[in-house]
Amino acid sequence: MSPRSASVNEELRRRSRERLLQAAVELVGEHGYEATTLGDIADRAGSARGLVSYYFPGKRQLVQSAVHRLMHRTLEEAVEREPRSEDGGERMARAIDAILGLARDRPVLMRQHMAGLLQAEGFVQCPEQKRLAELLRDVVARHGSQNVDVDYPMMRSLLMGAVYAMVLPNVPMSITTLRAELFKRYRLEWEMGTPPGSGAAAAAAGDSDLSRFFATGEELDDRPDPGQRANTPDQSGQL
């Protein structure tokens, strides 16, 4: 059998990483962070257990990257959905609703994400986090910011604070209250975005399939021999 080309091998590696990200989001959401092991994630992804360390230094980095991917793709889907709008206010409203919706629909996952951010290492600098930041900066710019470098960190902090308030055990604040405060700050009409209680909000809340956010195409067999690369270092230096 002829060896695989470099492009095929690269595609297989990409899909393996995608499956690990998807498995991490699913398992932490179902069972919590502490109850989920790297072995569990590898098994759900159909990957060799040693392969996890090829892509990620540890469980915290893997889970943060996975949640950042979920946040980025959820946000992207929301701001670009049909009917597509170039209005800065509408895109801001959709962005706020997308992030608050994740806190409402996936509180276990988002609670763990917030807890991870409070660790000494803070944000994991990974491709997923970078894409999320770029998209949020674009939303701020289109909303009319005259200084995105100042206004983007403020928006990020406000969204993080709202998520934190929603996922606090036993005393969570309601999405309606927090949305009203954010909409007031950004001068948005309540009918913009995806208002709580609307048909669109109900449909989003009931959608538990995350596969569309992770490009894990199965037409190629990318489950490597467990001993093939399990101990191979990542030469790129990137997560």
Side-chain angles (χ1 to χ4, degrees):
M1 183 172 62
S2 60
R4 292 170 176 157
S5 67
S7 61
V8 169
N9 283 331
E10 180 62 28
E11 177 66 8
L12 299 182
R13 286 192 291 271
R14 183 188 65 79
R15 294 184 186 183
S16 291
R17 187 177 186 276
E18 292 283 313
R19 282 202 294 266
L20 290 169
L21 291 171
Q22 181 177 344
V25 163
E26 291 174 349
L27 286 169
V28 173
E30 292 168 10
H31 307 295
Y33 181 79
E34 297 298 334
T36 299
T37 68
L38 287 175
D40 295 332
I41 294 171
D43 289 346
R44 173 69 68 91
S47 299
R49 297 191 181 194
L51 193 62
V52 180
S53 60
Y54 174 71
Y55 297 107
F56 303 97
K59 184 170 73 168
R60 192 180 74 81
Q61 291 85 351
L62 167 55
V63 172
Q64 272 207 38
S65 292
V67 177
H68 281 139
R69 163 63 68 81
L70 178 62
M71 293 174 71
H72 164 247
R73 293 301 302 277
T74 299
L75 184 62
E76 182 179 58
E77 183 178 82
V79 298
E80 299 296 342
R81 75 169 184 267
E82 297 295 339
R84 196 173 185 279
S85 176
E86 295 297 333
D87 179 74
E90 174 63 22
R91 293 175 75 87
M92 175 68 78
R94 292 183 183 188
I96 292 171
D97 285 338
I99 300 302
L100 296 187
L102 280 174
R104 176 196 61 207
D105 302 334
R106 307 186 189 280
V108 174
L109 186 66
M110 297 305 290
R111 185 179 302 128
Q112 169 51 44
H113 182 62
M114 297 303 297
L117 297 181
L118 294 175
Q119 301 300 311
E121 298 88 346
F123 279 111
V124 170
Q125 299 298 319
C126 62
E128 285 73 25
Q129 189 274 330
K130 182 179 179 180
R131 294 186 188 105
L132 174 62
E134 289 172 348
L135 185 53
L136 280 173
R137 287 178 65 91
D138 181 69
V139 168
V140 171
R142 293 188 188 219
H143 187 251
S145 170
Q146 299 302 305
N147 191 337
V148 176
D149 289 336
V150 171
D151 295 336
Y152 159 66
M154 177 58 69
M155 180 194 182
R156 183 185 64 198
S157 297
L158 291 170
L159 288 173
M160 289 173 63
V163 169
Y164 181 82
M166 288 181 66
V167 301
L168 276 175
N170 303 320
V171 289
M173 290 188 67
S174 74
I175 187 172
T176 303
T177 300
L178 291 165
R179 184 182 193 264
E181 286 298 311
L182 288 169
F183 271 44
K184 180 179 179 181
R185 177 182 180 86
Y186 289 106
R187 304 180 302 281
L188 305 173
E189 298 295 329
W190 184 259
E191 294 75 19
M192 289 178 165
T194 310
S198 67
D207 186 0
S208 60
D209 182 12
L210 301 178
S211 61
R212 67 188 185 280
F213 296 145
F214 301 90
T216 59
E218 297 294 338
E219 59 271 18
L220 294 175
D221 179 12
D222 57 336
R223 299 184 183 184
D225 178 349
Q228 185 177 1
R229 292 197 324 270
N231 296 314
T232 304
D234 183 355
Q235 300 298 323
S236 70
Q238 300 297 320
L239 294 179

